[in-house]
């Protein structure tokens, strides 16, 4: 979203708030605080303002692309407050210049109703049998160990971090192995057996290999051959069950679950008796001592996860006023069970917003002994996965990923290198001075032949695409129309998923219409159709006449400013937008990718495809009736890299893309970056898949690229 449009929207919503506030409440002479929200929650933000205005709670919103940009906007004092996780706090805690300039501090925390006075969200502990002959951390060697699951905090990250610092875990920085494999190797060597369930790698083949290689860490699980959820010996309580009932000797879990498991009171909740006897077990402390498990003795902990919270900048002087508003908003959201209460405030029925002593993000993390847990780097120290790009948009996107991904446990670290051209990146790849770059599928064959590139990951698009990520460009019409062949489209209205550079919306129809002799060049498109919506075209041309801009804003000025914008501000942008353009009778034909077809919808029977051979076909016949098959984008590395190095790059990339696909509020990978659409991977992708030796479309994709003019 362009900042100008975003600012306009913010002004619109704030104005709505002021109107509502003056209608029901006396004017508030105090300052109206502004919260920054990720743009995926913009509707919730508008709802929050309306709900809060009715109760006289003055609040306004602006949006950032994601939480990463919101932190920046709060730092620049464009907003006052943003809701953050400890990992977000880390971004500013480790940037001394930014922290000093912005003056960030945590003023309110998200705490549980069960333990509203607890210092931390949860505390990590090790539990052992009381009679276990162990007097120091070195005595853990050779024991049978029970864990919550791979990649989790108390059962994986915290013990690895602390045991490494104590010299118990060794050889975690072998450069020939990935960070994840170094950790698994170390745990497998330290413990004789264990239960460590989960997805050890997002790549199925790597996941299988790791579990076979380090199978002793699955031996105590309910299903050792699966070693994945669900498993009765996994999770916080499952690790204790593994200790008590399945031969484990040490369990890594958190305090609150120890108390529940052994029938002790938890916070404000009374004890609920269980059949388990806590007198047979002890907390095992980092100093080698043992502490009884009972209602009165304070547990010894290894580290803690800090509370989530709300972060303000140094320009906010009336901290108490902010705290009161956040607390009141939390109560209001719970009463309403509002979506904004969950998405913007990070609250749920078990939590509440609690004022807390003002402290810096660095202190918030350090006090919990959690800073080193985030910074855990078990691969080759300071190793980078060096991405090569050749546009400013791709560079900005890469730099955002590089900064944010490390705090979310994605290894190796990402580094970004800007070259002058794609060929310059390919040359660097061949010379092994960069590790990764993204190519159009049609460019991979040349990269393999001339630069020894190795394709490792492909985009995937879900329903409506092939199993290797190809999407068909289709011409979609209503069955009720009199349109039967492509020639019938002359003088009709058209809807396009995009303009120049968009395969399905522009390049494919231009190619086929030229091939049929219906136009001479793409310059004839504006005259072939009576009017169109091709987002990204010159706004004053016929190619934009059918576009409508941001309909959701319900404001003529905003709609006018956003009309034909090649961002999501234009309602008819992209495949789904082109479909809506057709269904809204703004066009007679829609040129869009097959992934946008309503294949399992009631609309299915109302629509047809126009085929280049002059026939008409049902929409589920897109693989045979289309204007061309678009290759996916492909991530390549150097063919000279070792198998372990390639696995490490695959693991890191899949982990990052999986996280941010599920959580666009943390980092939004879609959208315009530095004025550029679709830098790196495309916006429409649903995920990524690994490439094996069975892929054989490289020649075909090169031909498609040359015929259709894919850049």
């Amino acid at each position: 979203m362009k900042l100008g449009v975003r600012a306009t929207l913010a002004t619109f919503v704030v104005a709505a708030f002021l109107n509502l506030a003056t209608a029901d409440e006396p004017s508030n002479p105090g300052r109206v605080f502004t919260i920054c929200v990720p743009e995926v929650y913009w509707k919730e933000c508008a709802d929050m303002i309306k709900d809060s205005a009715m109760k006289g709670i003055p609040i306004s919103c602006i949006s950032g692309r994601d939480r990463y940009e919101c932190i920046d906007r709060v730092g620049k004092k464009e907003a006052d407050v943003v809701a953050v996780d400890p990992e977000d706090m880390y971004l500013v805690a480790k940037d001394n210049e930014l922290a000093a300039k912005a003056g960030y501090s945590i003023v309110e925390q998200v705490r549980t109703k069960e333990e509203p006075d607890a210092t931390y969200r949860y505390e990590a502990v090790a539990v052992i049998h009381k009679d276990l002959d162990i007097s120091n951390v070195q005595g853990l060697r050779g024991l049978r160990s029970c864990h919550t699951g791979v990649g989790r905090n108390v059962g994986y990250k915290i013990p690895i971090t602390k045991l490494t610092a104590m010299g118990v875990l060794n050889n975690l920085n072998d450069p020939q192995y990935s960070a994840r494999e170094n950790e698994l190797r170390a745990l497998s060597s330290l413990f004789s057996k264990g239960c460590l369930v989960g997805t050890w790698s997002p790549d199925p083949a790597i996941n299988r290999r790791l579990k076979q290689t380090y199978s002793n860490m699955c031996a105590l699980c309910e299903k050792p051959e699966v070693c994945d959820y669900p498993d009765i010996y996994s999770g916080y309580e499952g690790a204790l069950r593994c200790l008590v009932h399945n031969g484990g000797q040490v369990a890594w879990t958190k305090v609150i679950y120890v108390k529940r498991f052994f029938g002790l009171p938890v916070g404000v909740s009374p004890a609920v008796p269980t059949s388990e006897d806590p007198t047979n077990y002890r907390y095992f402390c980092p100093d080698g001592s043992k502490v009884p498990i009972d209602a009165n003795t304070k547990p010894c902990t290894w580290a803690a996860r800090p509370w989530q919270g709300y972060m303000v900048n140094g320009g906010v002087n009336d901290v108490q006023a902010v705290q009161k508003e956040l607390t009141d908003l939390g109560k209001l959201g719970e009463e309403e069970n509002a979506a904004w209460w969950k998405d913007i405030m990070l609250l749920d029925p078990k939590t509440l917003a609690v004022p807390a002593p003002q402290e810096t993000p660095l202190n918030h993390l350090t006090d919990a002994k959690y800073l080193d847990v985030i910074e855990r780097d078990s691969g080759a120290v300071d190793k980078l996965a060096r991405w090569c790009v050749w546009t400013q948009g791709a560079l900005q996107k890469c730099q955002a990923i590089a900064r944010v991904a490390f705090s979310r446990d994605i290894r190796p670290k990402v580094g970004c290198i800007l070259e002058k051209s794609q060929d310059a990146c390919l040359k660097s790849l061949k010379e092994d001075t960069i590790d990764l770059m993204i190519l159009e599928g049609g460019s991979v064959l040349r990269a393999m032949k001339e630069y020894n590139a190795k394709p490792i990951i492909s985009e995937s698009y879900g329903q409506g695409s092939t199993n290797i990520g190809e999407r068909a460009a289709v011409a979609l019409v209503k069955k009720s129309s009199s349109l039967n062949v492509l020639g019938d489209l002359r003088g009709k209205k058209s809807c396009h998923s995009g303009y120049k550079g968009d395969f399905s919306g522009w390049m494919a129809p231009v190619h086929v219409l030229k091939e049929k002799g219906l136009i001479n060049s793409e310059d004839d498109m504006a005259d072939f159709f009576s009017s169109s919506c091709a987002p990204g075209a010159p706004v004053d041309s016929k190619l934009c006449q059918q576009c409508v801009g941001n309909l959701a804003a319900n404001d003529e000025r905003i709609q006018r400013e956003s009309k034909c914008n090649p961002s999501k501000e234009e309602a008819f942008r992209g495949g789904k937008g082109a479909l809506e353009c057709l269904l809204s009778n703004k066009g007679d034909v829609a040129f869009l990718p097959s992934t946008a077809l309503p294949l399992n919808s009631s609309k299915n029977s109302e629509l047809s495809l126009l085929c280049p051979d002059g026939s008409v076909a049902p929409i589920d016949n897109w693989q045979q009736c289309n204007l061309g098959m678009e290759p996916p984008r492909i991530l390549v590395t150097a063919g000279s890299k070792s198998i372990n190095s390639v696995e490490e790059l695959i693991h890191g990339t899949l982990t990052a893309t999986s996280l941010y696909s599920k959580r666009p509020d943390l980092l939004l990978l879609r959208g315009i970056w530095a004025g550029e659409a679709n830098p790196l991977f495309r916006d429409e992708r649903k995920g990524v898949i690994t490439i094996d030796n069975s892929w054989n479309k490289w020649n075909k994709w090169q031909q498609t690229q040359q015929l259709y003019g894919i850049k």
Side-chain angles (χ1 to χ4, degrees):
M1 187 190 296
K2 289 185 176 179
L3 185 56
V5 175
R6 184 184 297 150
T8 303
L9 283 171
T11 302
F12 168 75
V13 177
V14 172
F17 149 70
L18 292 173
N19 289 336
L20 282 167
T22 55
D24 292 291
E25 298 288 340
S27 60
N28 190 317
R31 177 178 174 186
V32 178
F33 293 102
T34 300
I35 188 168
C36 187
V37 303
E39 66 178 50
V40 294
Y41 297 142
W42 183 252
K43 181 182 181 299
E44 285 90 333
C45 175
D47 291 339
M48 180 178 71
I49 289 175
K50 292 175 184 176
D51 292 345
S52 61
M54 295 296 187
K55 299 293 184 179
I57 305 171
I59 193 76
S60 67
C61 293
I62 63 172
S63 70
R65 180 195 300 276
D66 41 44
R67 199 182 292 176
Y68 168 68
E69 189 177 62
C70 272
I71 291 169
D72 186 54
R73 298 198 76 179
V74 168
K76 292 177 179 176
K77 299 179 173 58
E78 296 170 1
D80 301 302
V81 61
V82 58
V84 288
D85 296 329
E87 289 74 16
D88 304 311
M89 301 174 196
Y90 175 81
L91 298 179
V92 298
K94 297 301 290 185
D95 189 328
N96 295 329
E97 183 178 347
L98 176 62
K101 186 176 180 180
Y104 293 109
S105 61
I106 310 301
V107 298
E108 182 113 349
Q109 296 174 0
V110 175
R111 295 188 181 176
T112 62
K113 294 176 182 177
E114 191 169 42
E115 296 184 296
D117 299 321
T119 308
Y120 308 111
R121 180 180 171 187
Y122 55 74
E123 296 175 282
V125 291
V127 180
I128 60 173
H129 296 269
K130 70 172 184 178
D131 297 326
L132 184 68
D133 184 16
I134 182 172
S135 59
N136 56 55
V137 291
Q138 293 293 341
L140 292 169
R141 194 170 303 280
L143 297 186
R144 299 182 296 275
S145 185
C146 304
H147 302 258
T148 52
V150 73
R152 296 175 66 167
N153 270 317
V154 298
Y156 186 82
K157 295 179 187 177
I158 288 173
I160 286 175
T161 302
K162 303 305 177 179
L163 292 175
T164 301
M166 295 174 179
V168 180
L169 279 179
N170 301 307
N171 198 24
L172 273 82
N173 303 114
D174 192 324
Q176 70 171 311
Y177 297 104
S178 68
R180 171 57 57 84
E181 186 161 4
N182 269 315
E183 292 172 346
L184 294 170
R185 287 173 66 245
L187 290 173
S188 179
S189 298
L190 176 64
F191 299 115
S192 60
K193 291 182 179 180
C195 180
L196 180 66
V197 306
T199 303
W200 289 14
S201 172
D203 178 77
I206 299 175
N207 185 55
R208 285 192 298 271
R209 182 187 68 77
L210 291 175
K211 288 183 178 179
Q212 290 169 359
T213 305
Y214 310 107
S215 59
N216 66 312
M217 291 309 296
C218 296
L220 293 183
C221 296
E222 179 187 11
K223 299 176 182 176
E225 71 283 0
V226 178
C227 199
D228 206 346
Y229 302 104
D231 191 295
I232 61 173
Y233 301 124
S234 70
Y236 302 118
E237 186 175 323
L240 291 165
R241 199 177 292 118
C242 167
L243 171 75
V244 175
H245 300 294
N246 202 42
Q249 293 173 292
V250 58
W252 307 90
T253 186
K254 60 186 184 183
V255 171
I256 191 171
Y257 277 85
V258 175
K259 292 179 178 179
R260 286 176 182 163
F261 187 82
F262 289 113
L264 302 173
V266 177
V268 298
S269 301
V272 178
T274 71
S275 60
E276 309 296 348
D277 184 1
T279 63
N280 292 326
Y281 300 90
R282 296 288 185 269
Y283 292 112
F284 178 63
C285 308
D287 65 3
S289 62
K290 304 171 186 177
V291 172
I293 298 174
D294 56 43
N296 302 312
T297 307
K298 180 177 173 58
C300 58
T301 63
W302 290 67
R305 179 167 175 79
W307 295 110
Q308 295 167 293
Y310 304 95
M311 188 164 67
V312 300
N313 58 51
V316 176
N317 297 316
D318 195 345
V319 170
Q320 288 185 335
V322 174
Q323 291 173 327
K324 182 179 187 308
E325 291 205 354
L326 291 169
T327 302
D328 289 346
L329 280 172
K331 293 176 181 176
L332 174 62
E334 183 166 17
E335 291 171 6
E336 303 279 343
N337 192 26
W340 57 260
W341 172 63
K342 299 168 184 157
D343 295 335
I344 296 175
M345 301 288 292
L346 308 183
L347 296 169
D348 61 44
K350 295 182 179 180
T351 60
L352 70 168
V354 176
Q358 188 173 1
E359 65 176 345
T360 67
L362 180 60
N363 287 342
H364 189 72
L365 298 174
T366 304
D367 290 346
K369 298 182 287 186
Y370 195 69
L371 199 67
D372 59 344
V373 177
I374 294 178
E375 292 182 326
R376 187 182 88 265
D377 192 0
S378 303
V381 179
D382 294 326
K383 183 177 183 179
L384 292 176
R386 301 161 296 178
W387 286 68
C388 192
V389 298
W390 53 94
T391 68
Q392 283 298 320
L395 179 64
Q396 280 193 14
K397 194 170 187 176
C398 178
Q399 289 172 334
I401 295 171
R403 184 172 177 220
V404 177
F406 184 78
S407 71
R408 296 279 173 179
D409 200 34
I410 294 166
R411 304 291 186 272
K413 297 177 183 177
V414 174
C416 307
I417 297 172
L418 179 67
E419 288 285 3
K420 293 181 179 179
S421 66
Q422 177 177 291
D423 276 8
C425 279
L426 284 167
K427 183 174 181 291
S428 295
L429 189 76
K430 186 175 183 179
E431 295 171 350
D432 199 28
T433 57
I434 62 109
D435 302 298
L436 297 165
M437 61 182 293
I438 291 179
L439 298 171
E440 295 292 345
S443 298
V444 174
L445 182 63
R446 172 175 170 262
M448 293 166 68
K449 289 182 175 179
E450 298 182 17
Y451 296 95
N452 193 31
K454 177 181 176 61
I456 57 172
I457 287 175
S458 169
E459 296 175 319
S460 63
Y461 294 97
Q463 186 183 44
S465 64
T466 69
N467 61 353
I468 57 173
E470 296 169 303
R471 293 183 297 169
V474 296
L476 185 67
V477 297
K478 293 182 178 179
K479 278 186 178 178
S480 57
S481 74
S482 58
L483 304 173
N484 296 302
V485 296
L486 292 174
D488 293 340
L489 298 178
R490 187 182 298 277
K492 298 297 189 282
K493 296 176 294 184
S494 61
C495 306
H496 304 254
S497 55
Y499 187 47
K500 294 182 178 181
D502 186 286
F503 182 84
S504 298
W506 192 258
M507 288 184 279
V510 165
H511 172 76
V512 173
L513 292 176
K514 282 171 60 179
E515 194 177 54
K516 297 294 182 185
L518 297 171
I519 61 173
N520 295 317
S521 72
E522 68 176 352
D523 295 335
D524 296 335
M525 290 284 278
D527 293 324
F528 181 76
F529 298 105
S530 60
S531 61
S532 307
C533 177
V539 70
D540 55 354
S541 70
K542 289 171 62 179
L543 292 170
C544 285
Q545 285 181 355
Q546 298 302 115
C547 294
V548 292
N550 190 328
L551 293 176
N554 197 27
D555 181 280
E556 288 185 8
R557 181 167 62 87
I558 293 175
Q559 290 170 7
R560 187 170 58 252
E561 290 178 356
S562 57
K563 183 175 181 177
C564 211
N565 195 314
S567 74
K568 71 174 189 177
E569 288 306 300
E570 168 54 60
F572 292 163
R573 184 235 179 192
K576 298 295 185 185
L579 175 63
E580 183 60 28
C581 173
L582 174 68
L583 297 177
S584 301
N585 297 316
K586 297 288 283 186
D588 301 299
V589 61
F591 296 105
L592 44 76
S594 50
T595 47
L597 291 170
L599 296 172
N600 297 318
S601 160
S602 58
K603 296 284 188 293
N604 188 323
S605 60
E606 302 173 16
L607 303 166
S608 296
L609 301 178
L610 295 185
C611 311
D613 64 5
S615 63
V616 177
I619 66 172
D620 56 6
N621 200 30
W622 53 268
Q623 291 203 55
Q624 289 73 42
C625 175
N626 60 69
L627 311 183
M629 297 292 285
E630 180 183 23
R633 287 184 180 172
I634 303 293
L635 184 69
V636 302
T637 188
S640 58
K641 288 192 178 296
S642 68
I643 293 175
N644 284 336
S645 294
V646 171
E647 281 193 359
E648 180 175 40
L649 295 171
I650 290 173
H651 178 90
T653 303
L654 293 183
T655 303
T657 54
S658 175
L659 171 64
Y660 296 122
S661 292
K662 294 174 183 174
R663 295 292 308 276
D665 57 311
L666 299 180
L667 183 67
L668 184 65
L669 296 180
R670 302 189 305 272
I672 306 296
W673 294 75
E676 182 183 341
N678 297 304
L680 301 182
F681 289 116
R682 294 189 182 98
D683 289 355
E684 303 92 340
R685 68 167 180 81
K686 299 298 183 185
V688 294
I689 52 177
T690 50
I691 292 171
D692 58 33
N693 294 329
S694 67
W695 288 52
N696 59 3
K697 288 289 188 101
W698 310 117
N699 280 306
K700 176 66 175 174
W701 288 355
Q702 184 179 67
Q703 293 168 10
T704 299
Q705 178 163 299
Q706 293 166 349
L707 278 174
Y708 289 76
I710 300 174
K711 301 295 186 184

